[in-house]
Amino acid sequence: MEAKARSLNKKAVAIALTITSIVLVLMMIFGVIMLLNQGNVVKISPQLFYQVMTIHGTGMVGIAALGGSAIMWYFLTKYIHLNPKIYFTNLFLSLIGVVMVLVAIFVFKFSDGWTFLYPLPSASAKIYGSTGALLFLFGLLILGVGYLIMYFYIAVRFVKEYGSLGKSLGWDYIFRGKKGYGPPAAVVASTMVIIANSVGIIAGATALVESIINILNPHITFDPMLAKHLTYAFGHIFANCTIYMAVIAVYEILSEYTGRPWKSNKAFLIAWNCSTLFTLMIYTHHLLMDFAVPQWMLIIGQIFSYANGLPVMVVTAYGALMIVFRSAVKWDFASSMMFLAMFGWVAGAVPAIIDATIVVNHVMHNTKWVPGHFHTYMGMGVVAMIFGFMYYFNKSEGTQKQNGFDKLAIATYFLFFTGLAGSFLYAGKISVPRRWAEHLPEWTSSDQAGVICGIFVIAAAIIFTTRYIIGLRNIGRQPQQKKSYKTAS
């Protein structure tokens, strides 16, 4: 029975990674299409542009979350028993949600952006009909339900294994003086994700239900500012938790490759506990331009946006350096991607912290500076971790070996993604607005540079995806025996 569960869990992860890799390439293509239009290289209608923008923003974060959840689920099976039916349920509901969103956007022309800010869906419903808006809103709602089922199930398993979520966050070691090391890093990170993302998804679900009710009965209205808070709390927390799920691969893979367990010492546990709290608070830096938001809330958004960049990121980046330092680490596709992804994460956080400064935010937040920082930590951080894990999965569960195309693809991906992110940040510097379909002639050079870089990034991603899918044929053939560094709780 246990062997069957392990086999099904691996199959679920393999399917999730296949879907993730294909959709990532598709979302990248959509991104380049937008840049081609903004750079006046090709022209599409404004309506189609905003449809593409909606699916690019929604799809990229959503599919990164699916890849991150595959990483989290795979490594948690080393420490606790997990029922594969739960992950398949999340995967099934996610696919239903994605199909509903795609139909809403490309069949019924819903194009309000991932933010679905109330009352925009209602306004969209009046123009194009309520079907598209309702499909989009219900699609996201179903997707969120899938993640809540998975998170609540894992939470129950943690409580059974460790006694409480507080203990799986290391409270015994932080507050009660328990000696030694806390639960495995994968468990600590997963606990943080469960707490933070469950709150975020529930906040987003509340905003979604408000919009659905308003569309079905326009006489029932809600406070737009409250709806905006709920929406951005959801969006910011959900996007952040994609990297907190994916970073588990850094802990597990680098420790395996170096032969050094990633120990959950007191500093590590405090960092993750701080991040659990801070991640719930800092969404307000998206509202710094809203004069109606209480000043104390904006100050919290700025201060804790600064603070949140330090605990987990610094501890993880420093830990990655220390665990590799003077080790006999073998640099292959997986270890290289994990190490380079730490650079992407740190590099992406710097412009984000700058933007969280109120006086800077008032000038820069509605420019392409924001997608610049987001693409840096998402593309060179989260997505790089997912691609690296894909190789690791095929190598660990099968017989895949690195070749020259892999090395070329890694170099191409990071070199040109740096150029892509740089083109966004430069555009922000010269005050190019984000979310505009049309750009003035003096802005198009940065768009065109982004197009060139984006094409090479897509080429590298296609190599990663093709290699992964081909490698699936070897899954189950001569799997390598990996050493587990399970620490006592």
Side-chain angles (χ1 to χ4, degrees):
M1 195 70 178
E2 187 68 27
K4 184 179 179 181
R6 283 197 299 269
S7 176
L8 286 174
N9 276 322
K10 292 174 184 177
K11 184 176 292 187
V13 169
I15 294 171
L17 290 175
T18 302
I19 295 170
T20 298
S21 59
I22 293 172
V23 175
L24 279 173
V25 172
L26 182 60
M27 292 303 110
M28 290 176 182
I29 292 172
F30 283 144
V32 169
I33 289 173
M34 286 191 289
L35 287 172
L36 284 168
N37 182 76
Q38 291 172 329
N40 290 325
V41 179
V42 299
K43 297 308 295 181
I44 60 177
S45 69
Q47 175 65 46
L48 180 57
F49 177 89
Y50 290 113
Q51 288 175 248
V52 172
M53 186 189 76
T54 300
I55 191 59
H56 178 73
T58 307
M60 187 59 80
V61 175
I63 206 62
L66 182 63
S69 70
I71 292 172
M72 180 179 71
W73 189 270
Y74 178 82
F75 286 116
L76 283 181
T77 58
K78 291 173 55 179
Y79 306 107
I80 59 174
H81 171 76
L82 293 176
N83 187 338
K85 293 180 181 179
I86 301 298
Y87 194 78
F88 274 115
T89 299
N90 175 52
L91 182 59
F92 178 68
L93 291 176
S94 295
L95 290 176
I96 291 176
V98 167
V99 170
M100 291 174 70
V101 167
L102 286 170
V103 172
I105 292 172
F106 291 110
V107 177
F108 294 97
K109 299 182 179 181
F110 184 85
S111 56
D112 290 9
W114 77 263
T115 48
F116 54 87
L117 280 176
Y118 172 88
L120 281 180
S122 179
S124 179
K126 292 174 183 176
I127 300 172
Y128 298 107
S130 60
T131 303
L134 290 174
L135 276 172
F136 183 87
L137 298 173
F138 273 112
L140 289 185
L141 202 57
I142 290 172
L143 192 146
V145 168
Y147 277 93
L148 287 179
I149 291 172
M150 180 181 68
Y151 289 149
F152 290 169
Y153 169 76
I154 297 175
V156 171
R157 298 298 305 151
F158 282 169
V159 170
K160 184 175 181 179
E161 182 74 19
Y162 298 99
S164 70
L165 292 182
K167 289 183 178 180
S168 62
L169 268 178
W171 286 9
D172 282 354
Y173 301 86
I174 298 173
F175 302 115
R176 297 173 186 169
K178 189 173 182 180
K179 303 299 181 184
Y181 298 104
V187 171
V188 177
S190 298
T191 306
M192 179 272 178
V193 169
I194 289 168
I195 295 171
N197 220 10
S198 295
V199 173
I201 291 172
I202 291 171
T206 304
L208 289 166
V209 170
E210 286 180 353
S211 284
I212 290 170
I213 292 173
N214 180 247
I215 292 171
L216 296 175
N217 187 348
H219 296 293
I220 301 177
T221 60
F222 300 90
D223 182 357
M225 183 58 74
L226 174 60
K228 185 173 185 179
H229 276 258
L230 292 170
T231 301
Y232 274 98
F234 155 70
H236 186 88
I237 293 170
F238 195 88
N240 272 252
C241 284
T242 60
I243 199 164
Y244 294 142
M245 289 188 287
V247 79
I248 293 171
V250 174
Y251 298 144
E252 294 286 338
I253 292 173
L254 289 185
S255 64
E256 180 182 322
Y257 274 51
T258 59
R260 298 172 176 176
W262 197 301
K263 298 176 180 178
S264 297
N265 57 29
K266 198 168 184 178
F268 180 88
L269 296 172
I270 290 173
W272 274 99
N273 275 266
C274 287
S275 191
T276 304
L277 179 62
F278 295 171
T279 300
L280 295 174
M281 301 165 60
I282 63 174
Y283 77 90
T284 48
H285 71 223
H286 289 283
L287 309 174
L288 295 178
M289 299 180 73
D290 291 332
F291 62 87
V293 176
Q295 188 176 29
W296 63 267
M297 192 173 284
L298 301 182
I299 293 172
I300 285 177
Q302 174 170 321
I303 293 174
F304 285 97
S305 292
Y306 280 35
N308 193 51
L310 299 176
V312 172
M313 186 177 67
V314 171
V315 168
T316 302
Y318 178 77
L321 290 171
M322 291 300 99
I323 203 169
V324 168
F325 182 65
R326 291 186 176 179
S327 71
V329 61
K330 174 178 171 54
W331 292 108
D332 67 359
F333 189 104
S335 55
S336 299
M337 289 294 275
M338 293 303 146
F339 205 73
L340 289 169
M342 295 310 304
F343 160 75
W345 187 11
V346 174
V350 173
I353 293 173
I354 293 172
D355 181 63
T357 307
I358 292 176
V359 294
V360 176
N361 187 278
H362 285 174
V363 178
M364 303 291 286
H365 194 70
N366 280 338
T367 72
K368 292 185 78 171
W369 181 270
V370 171
H373 96 72
F374 187 79
H375 279 75
T376 305
Y377 91 73
M378 179 63 71
M380 298 171 67
V382 183
V383 175
M385 293 175 191
I386 293 171
F387 281 140
F389 175 71
M390 285 161 47
Y391 174 89
Y392 171 84
F393 180 80
N394 274 355
K395 177 185 176 184
S396 300
E397 304 299 339
T399 59
Q400 183 165 331
K401 295 181 180 180
Q402 183 170 311
N403 63 26
F405 279 110
D406 295 325
K407 295 179 181 179
L408 176 63
I410 292 173
T412 300
Y413 185 83
F414 276 92
L415 175 64
F416 286 97
F417 218 117
T418 301
L420 176 65
S423 72
F424 281 121
L425 293 172
Y426 173 76
K429 175 183 176 295
I430 61 174
S431 298
V432 178
R434 60 186 174 124
R435 301 189 182 127
W436 281 26
E438 300 291 336
H439 279 183
L440 297 175
E442 53 266 35
W443 298 339
T444 57
S445 59
S446 62
D447 301 322
Q448 292 164 2
V451 167
I452 296 171
C453 292
I455 290 171
F456 280 96
V457 168
I458 291 171
I462 290 174
I463 293 175
F464 298 156
T465 300
T466 304
R467 289 274 291 139
Y468 168 73
I469 293 174
I470 292 174
L472 288 176
R473 294 180 303 180
N474 295 323
I475 295 296
R477 301 180 186 176
Q478 303 172 358
Q480 299 177 3
Q481 297 298 318
K482 304 193 297 296
K483 186 176 180 180
S484 176
Y485 296 106
K486 182 174 180 179
T487 56
S489 63

